[in-house]
Amino acid sequence: RRRLVRTETDEIAVAENDNGEKSYKVVAATVGKRNRNDFVLTGDVIEMERDTYPLLYEHGKDVNSIIGYAKPYFDAEANAYMADIVPYDTNPNIIRSIENGAYDSVSIAYLIDSYTFGEDDEILVQHAIMREISLVVTGADPEARIFNNGINDEMRAEIEKHKANKALVEEIKKKYE
């Protein structure tokens, strides 16, 4: 069975599996677009080490935040990471919240291990390793419907250094113009 649940900005395809589980097809992350964390995925750059990942509630860190599972994949035609998410039926309010549009966003979490900077200081992700997908109120990627991107201290320091260097270059340019 398939039906569409409409939200203001997207359509969520809903399927019911033979075992009664509801599966929702979602856009997890778009490629080539700057997200709210200033990250840009430069292509099919997220390595997936397995087929199934946890579906968490708001990137929770404990076992109680596991609300289902996700099967992510890269869709070359859509130029996006998609996923089939299956919330467990142990919390019917989650399913109801998805279907009534209260929760219409997901966020994909990945560990970045290769990146460069773009012209506007955005972080161009060259390679990352998939961690999990979360059901969230507002995700880093506005098009990720129904990204907690982890930045470690070393990467945060490099970003700050890059910004400081860019400001210094601009200051020097102004002196000689």
Side-chain angles (χ1 to χ4, degrees), residues 4-70:
L4 291 179
V5 178
R6 297 192 186 280
T7 64
E8 284 184 27
T9 58
D10 213 350
E11 291 183 347
I12 304 163
V14 181
E16 193 166 296
N17 301 334
D18 292 337
N19 60 4
E21 292 178 322
K22 288 188 176 185
S23 171
Y24 302 85
K25 183 171 290 300
V26 303
V27 176
T30 53
V31 171
K33 296 183 181 176
R34 187 177 189 155
N35 71 21
R36 292 182 179 118
N37 290 334
D38 291 330
F39 293 167
V40 178
L41 296 172
T42 58
D44 183 6
V45 297
I46 300 176
E47 180 181 336
M48 295 182 212
E49 297 174 335
R50 57 185 186 271
D51 293 332
T52 304
Y53 286 85
L55 175 64
L56 302 180
Y57 177 74
E58 295 282 351
H59 298 293
K61 303 293 185 214
D62 65 20
V63 70
N64 294 323
S65 57
I66 300 171
I67 60 170
Y69 64 91

